[in-house]
Amino acid sequence: MPTTTIQQAKKPVVSKRSPQRKPQLASNRFTRYFLGPIIAFIVFVSTWQLIPLMLGIPHYILPKPTDVVASAASQWPLLSEAVSVTVVVSAIGFLLSAVIGVGISILLASSKVIERSIYPYAIILQTLPVVAIAPIIVIWFGAGFNAIVVVSFLIGFFPIVSNTLMGLNSVNKQMDELFSLYNASKWQKMWRLRVPAALPFMMAGLKISATLSIVGAIVGEYVAGVGGGKGGIGYAITVAAIQVNTSFIFALAICGAILGIGFYLAMSLLSKVVLGSWHESSIKQDL
């Protein structure tokens, strides 16, 4: 059979199969990643809506999802203001945790003597209850915005230090010997070998710290007052609890959870940008 005839016979087959591949891939990804969570969400909300109706539970004990949505809509200005204050405080606390945490991790990894001397105190700082040291924080930094940022920083600080330090100490031994063979200095090894190798661990610590910074900001308002002269989610929950406004408490708590998810997704996106081209945990695979 001539070559031109073979090519003409193949053309219709290729043109028919190629347009079908993308819709099929999109359908498979939707089924694998989104269908399950959507079904679980519908089942959970439906069950939550039915339980108070069937058992006759008052709305101030267990509000229905419709009550929560109605409360959020009716008090939207207060809700949006509380969320915006918490976002600002959490972002500042998280950035401080990231910068200081990574810096201290590099300092600890630079010397075993420094690591053995300082790291135990970082663990002690993490195990101290925030409520126990809250009066000291308020005395040192004043009630309000500064103290809340410090609380958010303290809660999100340790995961970054712990994960980054683990990554810096987990460098491949053969690569370390290769750098030594080429007479690389300690700091050349640190910046060109150990820090790049620790990036996956660092990204994991940032993801954990991002969600904990939200928790720290909300807890900080309980123990250190109102942030910036305006109340965030923690303060709004305190006021709503005094008023027995349970529906609004649920709305505020859900907003806090959404903020945590948003911060986590932002760090996941950053992780894909940083690691996506070379680390196997973030390399995209065609399914």
Side-chain angles (χ1 to χ4, degrees):
M1 184 181 291
T3 306
T4 55
T5 307
I6 296 175
Q7 292 176 348
Q8 290 176 356
K10 287 184 177 180
K11 283 183 180 178
V13 178
V14 175
S15 61
K16 287 182 181 179
R17 292 180 61 184
S18 57
Q20 296 177 0
R21 187 177 180 183
K22 288 185 178 179
Q24 186 176 4
L25 286 174
S27 176
N28 290 338
R29 287 177 181 174
F30 177 82
T31 302
R32 297 184 65 177
Y33 296 106
F34 299 106
L35 184 60
I38 290 174
I39 293 175
F41 177 77
I42 293 173
V43 171
F44 173 75
V45 173
S46 302
T47 305
W48 181 8
Q49 180 73 21
L50 289 174
I51 287 177
L53 289 174
M54 295 175 62
L55 301 180
I57 301 175
H59 66 88
Y60 56 85
I61 299 296
L62 179 61
K64 301 183 293 296
T66 52
D67 298 330
V68 175
V69 173
S71 178
S74 63
Q75 302 182 70
W76 177 251
L78 179 60
L79 179 64
S80 60
E81 183 180 14
V83 170
S84 62
V85 171
T86 300
V87 168
V88 172
V89 174
S90 303
I92 296 174
F94 170 68
L95 289 176
L96 289 175
S97 300
V99 174
I100 298 176
V102 171
I104 289 180
S105 300
I106 293 174
L107 177 64
L108 296 179
S110 64
S111 171
K112 284 296 181 183
V113 175
I114 297 177
E115 180 181 348
R116 291 166 185 163
S117 301
I118 298 178
Y119 190 63
Y121 294 101
I123 299 175
I124 293 173
L125 182 64
Q126 180 66 19
T127 57
L128 285 174
V130 175
V131 178
I133 61 175
I136 300 175
I137 294 174
V138 173
I139 291 172
W140 286 353
F141 299 96
F145 185 85
N146 293 338
I148 297 170
V149 169
V150 171
V151 173
S152 179
F153 158 74
L154 290 176
I155 292 180
F157 169 74
F158 185 75
I160 296 178
V161 174
S162 177
N163 283 270
T164 305
L165 185 60
M166 182 184 300
L168 292 171
N169 291 333
S170 301
V171 177
N172 186 281
K173 186 177 180 181
Q174 294 178 346
M175 291 296 297
D176 185 72
E177 291 176 350
L178 180 62
F179 270 69
S180 299
L181 182 64
Y182 283 95
N183 296 321
S185 66
K186 180 196 299 185
W187 290 107
Q188 285 178 327
K189 285 184 181 180
M190 178 65 70
W191 296 111
R192 298 185 181 183
L193 175 63
R194 301 179 72 180
V195 170
L199 282 176
F201 297 85
M202 191 186 302
M203 291 297 110
L206 289 174
K207 290 178 184 178
I208 299 171
S209 179
T211 57
L212 290 179
S213 65
I214 301 290
V215 178
I218 295 174
V219 171
E221 291 202 346
Y222 283 110
V223 299
V226 181
K230 297 179 180 179
I233 291 178
Y235 177 75
I237 288 176
T238 304
V239 174
I242 295 173
Q243 298 173 348
V244 199
N245 190 353
T246 313
S247 299
F248 194 54
I249 294 175
F250 271 80
L252 290 165
I254 291 171
C255 286
I258 292 173
L259 286 180
I261 294 171
F263 273 45
Y264 180 85
L265 292 177
M267 288 301 103
S268 297
L269 180 61
L270 177 63
S271 177
K272 287 184 178 180
V273 171
V274 174
L275 307 176
S277 62
W278 62 276
H279 196 263
E280 59 183 6
S281 65
S282 299
I283 293 177
K284 292 184 178 179
Q285 298 178 352
D286 277 337
L287 299 177

